[in-house]
């Protein structure tokens, strides 16, 4: 009996390990980057060109209100992916472009958040703020809405 | 980094007050970036060795120059403002201070600005870290023959759009510099030394709103009072072209200035004209390493009456160098150059550490 239980436990462990691995592979394969705003925000959709401009410091308006981009540095892979796949710049080139624009009087650089909790909190207090995050994290939060799909891993 | 070597000055009370005000502004507000206010600090330390200097030249053979450029920018709705203070061992100035109102694509500002001419002065200002080289082109050094700042009003915006391409304009009008031992910029803070009329126009074409590649043209008209000299005034007209082309790993910057000026004194007049231009090439041969070279030349400057006021102006300069980005916000540069002024020529080797914080 004890031996049967041991074999059953081993089998369950094996199945669990395999399915965890499969889930990980599936999640990685479906990784999607999205732009989000607070659910109550007036922002509906944003074009990819406008998103690039916005995060490079160019004012993008909805009505009379200027959108405020927030940088999500809570996950270095996410931030790097956003710069490479959406802004089409290396981190160094991006930082340099923002500094040059700021030096020219083109406005402040996007605020950087290392903590996702603080980022979401800032997003919820500003109806005209947007940020980027992985789709699974965005859909898990009912107080956020997706306003653009930015990139999907093949 | 200024080449000219003036006597050290004690910061004026007004400038110290401005620095204090700057600090008070930045300290509490930059920690709350949501307030749309940001402070940037650009420190640098440059070690210079010069050979071939004439005896008793005011430049030193060996020199270490620390400097700090502080910028604070902010916006609240359509209102934006900017203040830039540059401090080094040899000079200190409130380089820029302006407040602006944006309406659509148009920004109207009042305050103290850098001039609108060319590319370099409108891109890097005093941020040593932002420019790939150590030395600025001679035309934007303190010993340059054109006013680098003016106090007045500026309007800028989009003139036309073709597809993604944009034609941008900037127009500035105000009070410019005064000629003393060199062109002294006007000051908002401290004892006033406003010059006369300074008018500037700049047109630039960019491939799209975020492209660094641009070409353009500029015009300026300056009336410059002369102090302590037989000449009493200079009327100056400047026209030129500029371009910046970037396609990673290459970058090319070029500017051409055409000067025409008339000097007036008690019953006498004189006039002159000359051309100045430079081309700078950069090649990023590794992710954090860039090689660069620049050639600056002046033509028709022999016995020019305006340049007679400015013996420190670098007529020709040839330089090569390397830049290594040590971290995300710090760089080390090494640069060798050959400089020819009105009165002498010398060679220079410089090493610089520069950074931006935060």
């Amino acid at each position: 009996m004890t031996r049967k239980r041991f074999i059953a436990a081993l089998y369950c462990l094996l199945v669990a390990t395999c399915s965890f691995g499969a889930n990980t592979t599936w999640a990685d394969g479906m990784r999607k980057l999205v732009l989000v705003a607070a659910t109550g925000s007036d922002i509906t959709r944003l074009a990819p060109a406008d998103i690039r401009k916005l995060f490079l410091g160019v004012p993008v308006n909805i009505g009379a209100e200027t959108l405020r981009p927030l940088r999500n540095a809570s996950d270095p892979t996410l931030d790097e992916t956003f710069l490479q796949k959406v802004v089409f710049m290396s981190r160094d080139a991006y930082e340099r472009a923002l500094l040059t624009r700021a030096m020219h009087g083109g406005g402040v650089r996007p605020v950087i958040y290392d903590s996702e909790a603080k980022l979401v909190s800032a997003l919820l207090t500003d109806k005209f703020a947007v940020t980027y995050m992985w789709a699974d994290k965005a859909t898990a939060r009912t107080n956020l809405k997706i306003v653009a799909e930015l990139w999907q891993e093949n | 980094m200024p080449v000219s070597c003036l006597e050290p000055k004690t910061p004026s009370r007004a400038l110290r007050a401005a620095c204090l005000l700057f600090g008070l502004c930045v300290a509490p507000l930059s920690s709350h970036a949501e307030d749309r206010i940001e402070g940037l600090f650009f420190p640098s330390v440059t070690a210079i060795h010069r050979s071939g200097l004439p005896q008793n030249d005011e430049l030193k053979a060996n020199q270490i120059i620390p400097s700090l450029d502080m910028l604070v920018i902010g916006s609240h709705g359509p209102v934006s403002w900017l203040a830039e203070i540059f401090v080094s061992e040899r000079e200190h100035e409130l380089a820029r201070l302006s407040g602006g109102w944006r309406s659509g694509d148009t920004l109207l500002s009042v305050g103290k600005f850098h001039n609108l001419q060319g590319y370099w002065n409108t891109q890097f200002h005093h941020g040593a870290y932002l420019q790939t080289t150590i030395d600025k082109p001679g035309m934007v050094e303190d010993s340059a023959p054109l006013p680098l700042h003016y106090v007045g009003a500026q309007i800028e915006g989009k003139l036309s759009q073709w597809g993604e391409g944009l034609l941008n304009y900037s127009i500035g009008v105000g009070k410019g510099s005064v000629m003393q031992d060199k062109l002294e910029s006007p000051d908002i803070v401290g004892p006033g030394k406003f010059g006369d009329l300074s008018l500037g126009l700049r047109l630039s074409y960019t491939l799209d709103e975020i492209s660094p590649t641009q070409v353009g043209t500029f015009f300026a008209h300056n009336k410059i009072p002369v102090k302590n000299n037989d000449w009493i005034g200079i009327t100056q007209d400047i026209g030129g072209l500029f371009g910046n082309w970037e396609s990673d790993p290459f970058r090319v910057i070029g500017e051409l200035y055409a000067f025409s000026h008339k000097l007036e004194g008690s019953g006498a007049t004189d006039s002159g004209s000359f051309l100045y231009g430079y081309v700078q090439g950069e090649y990023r041969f590794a992710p954090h390493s860039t090689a660069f070279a620049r050639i600056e030349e002046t033509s028709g400057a022999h016995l020019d009456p305006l340049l007679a006021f400015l013996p420190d102006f670098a007529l020709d300069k040839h330089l090569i160098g390397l830049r290594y980005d040590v971290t995300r916000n710090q760089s080390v540069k090494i640069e060798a150059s050959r400089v020819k002024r009105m009165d002498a020529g010398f060679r220079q080797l410089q090493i610089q550490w520069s950074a931006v914080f935060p």
Side-chain angles (χ1 to χ4, degrees):
Chain A
M1 194 67 178
T2 312
R3 193 176 174 184
K4 275 186 180 174
R5 276 188 181 171
F6 176 75
I7 290 170
L10 200 63
Y11 176 77
C12 288
L13 185 67
L14 190 67
V15 168
T17 307
C18 287
S19 36
F20 176 75
N23 279 339
T24 306
T25 308
W26 176 81
D28 282 349
M30 296 295 286
R31 251 184 168 185
K32 192 191 279 184
L33 191 60
V34 294
L35 192 76
V36 295
T39 308
S41 163
D42 294 339
I43 304 166
T44 50
R45 300 294 296 175
L46 274 178
D50 284 339
I51 296 165
R52 190 166 176 245
K53 279 184 201 170
L54 182 63
F55 279 88
L56 276 164
V58 179
V60 173
N61 285 7
I62 288 199
E65 200 68 37
T66 304
L67 298 185
R68 283 172 282 279
L70 310 180
R71 276 184 72 185
N72 185 350
S74 65
D75 174 353
T77 310
L78 169 79
D79 197 38
E80 197 67 45
T81 307
F82 176 76
L83 295 179
Q84 295 283 344
K85 307 294 182 186
V86 180
V87 184
F88 304 120
M89 280 185 174
S90 68
R91 179 179 299 277
D92 285 357
Y94 176 68
E95 299 288 357
R96 195 82 65 87
L98 287 180
L99 283 171
T100 303
R101 183 169 280 276
M103 203 63 169
H104 186 59
V108 298
R109 298 179 295 174
V111 185
I112 301 175
Y113 288 90
D114 293 328
S115 148
E116 191 175 291
K118 285 181 182 168
L119 172 71
V120 171
S121 169
L123 208 56
L124 295 177
T125 56
D126 187 346
K127 284 171 67 176
F128 291 94
V130 290
T131 192
Y132 44 91
M133 56 175 59
W134 296 121
D136 55 344
K137 293 214 170 186
T139 48
R141 291 182 180 271
T142 53
N143 47 9
L144 299 183
K145 68 176 179 182
I146 295 172
V147 293
E149 292 184 358
L150 301 172
W151 173 79
Q152 183 164 355
E153 197 172 42
N154 291 318
Chain B
M1 193 55 53
V3 172
S4 63
C5 181
L6 304 173
E7 286 301 308
K9 292 189 267 185
T10 306
S12 66
R13 188 178 295 174
L15 186 77
R16 277 179 285 176
C19 288
L20 181 64
L21 183 65
F22 183 97
L24 290 172
C25 287
V26 173
L29 296 173
S30 60
S31 60
H32 297 89
E34 297 86 347
D35 292 340
R36 311 292 291 163
I37 293 175
E38 185 173 21
L40 290 170
F41 297 83
F42 293 88
S44 72
V45 180
T46 310
I48 309 173
H49 170 72
R50 300 186 181 95
S51 60
L53 282 171
Q55 277 193 332
N56 304 321
D57 196 279
E58 63 178 9
L59 289 180
K60 292 177 184 170
N62 296 298
Q63 208 171 0
I64 293 179
I65 305 176
S67 73
L68 176 63
D69 187 45
M70 298 172 282
L71 180 83
V72 61
I73 47 178
S75 63
H76 181 76
V79 178
S80 62
W81 54 277
L82 176 154
E84 184 180 17
I85 295 173
F86 180 73
V87 182
S88 77
E89 188 187 26
R90 300 289 171 190
E91 66 171 332
H92 48 267
E93 65 171 341
L94 178 60
R96 291 185 290 161
L97 179 66
S98 66
W101 177 274
R102 182 174 289 281
S103 174
D105 292 328
T106 306
L107 177 66
L108 175 66
S109 313
V110 293
K112 180 179 179 181
F113 306 91
H114 274 141
N115 74 30
L116 295 171
Q117 284 85 66
Y119 177 79
W120 199 283
N121 211 26
T122 59
Q123 292 294 309
F124 307 124
H125 301 279
H126 295 283
Y129 172 79
L130 288 177
Q131 60 192 45
T132 309
T133 59
I134 297 175
D135 260 359
K136 298 174 180 178
M139 195 49 70
V140 288
E141 292 280 11
D142 282 351
S143 53
L146 82 168
L148 295 176
H149 299 90
Y150 68 95
V151 174
Q154 184 171 297
I155 185 165
E156 55 192 310
K158 291 177 198 165
L159 198 62
S160 183
Q161 184 158 5
W162 301 292
E164 288 289 294
L166 291 172
L167 183 62
N168 300 305
Y169 72 91
S170 305
I171 299 171
V173 58
K175 294 277 192 179
S177 300
V178 173
M179 179 66 85
Q180 287 181 312
D181 297 330
K182 57 174 186 162
L183 281 167
E184 297 285 351
S185 290
D187 271 339
I188 293 178
V189 180
K193 47 183 176 186
F194 292 111
D196 280 340
L197 178 70
S198 180
L199 275 170
L201 166 68
R202 183 179 194 271
L203 296 170
S204 66
Y205 176 78
T206 55
L207 299 174
D208 61 56
E209 209 157 5
I210 49 183
S211 169
T213 294
Q214 58 175 284
V215 292
T217 186
F218 56 88
F219 305 94
H221 176 78
N222 298 307
K223 291 182 86 67
I224 305 165
V226 181
K227 303 279 184 191
N228 310 323
N229 198 284
D230 291 340
W231 298 112
I232 55 171
I234 302 166
T235 305
Q236 182 183 59
D237 292 298
I238 307 165
L241 304 167
F242 64 88
N244 175 63
W245 173 81
E246 290 183 40
S247 178
D248 196 36
F250 299 103
R251 180 181 195 180
V252 179
I253 306 172
E255 295 185 52
L256 177 69
Y257 288 74
F259 279 80
S260 173
H261 34 266
K262 190 172 153 189
L263 283 73
E264 292 174 65
S266 47
T269 60
D270 199 354
S271 61
S273 62
F274 63 89
L275 288 172
Y276 163 89
Y278 76 85
V279 177
Q280 176 172 311
E282 301 174 15
Y283 172 56
R284 196 165 62 83
F285 59 92
H288 302 293
S289 304
T290 305
F292 55 83
R294 187 168 75 223
I295 297 175
E296 297 175 51
E297 299 278 350
T298 307
S299 168
H302 184 61
L303 298 177
D304 185 273
L306 173 61
L307 293 180
F309 283 99
L310 306 160
D312 291 339
F313 173 57
L315 293 172
D316 301 337
K317 191 190 289 182
H318 297 176
L319 65 83
I320 55 168
L322 291 171
R323 173 191 174 116
Y324 178 67
D325 286 291
V326 185
T327 64
R328 182 189 63 80
N329 61 339
Q330 296 182 63
S331 72
V332 174
K333 308 171 198 173
I334 182 164
E335 188 175 288
S337 56
R338 195 173 63 202
V339 182
K340 185 184 158 200
R341 300 186 314 209
M342 289 290 279
D343 58 345
F346 58 90
R347 291 170 190 271
Q348 208 169 226
L349 181 67
Q350 301 181 83
I351 298 174
Q352 183 186 69
W353 165 84
S354 62
V356 57
F357 298 105

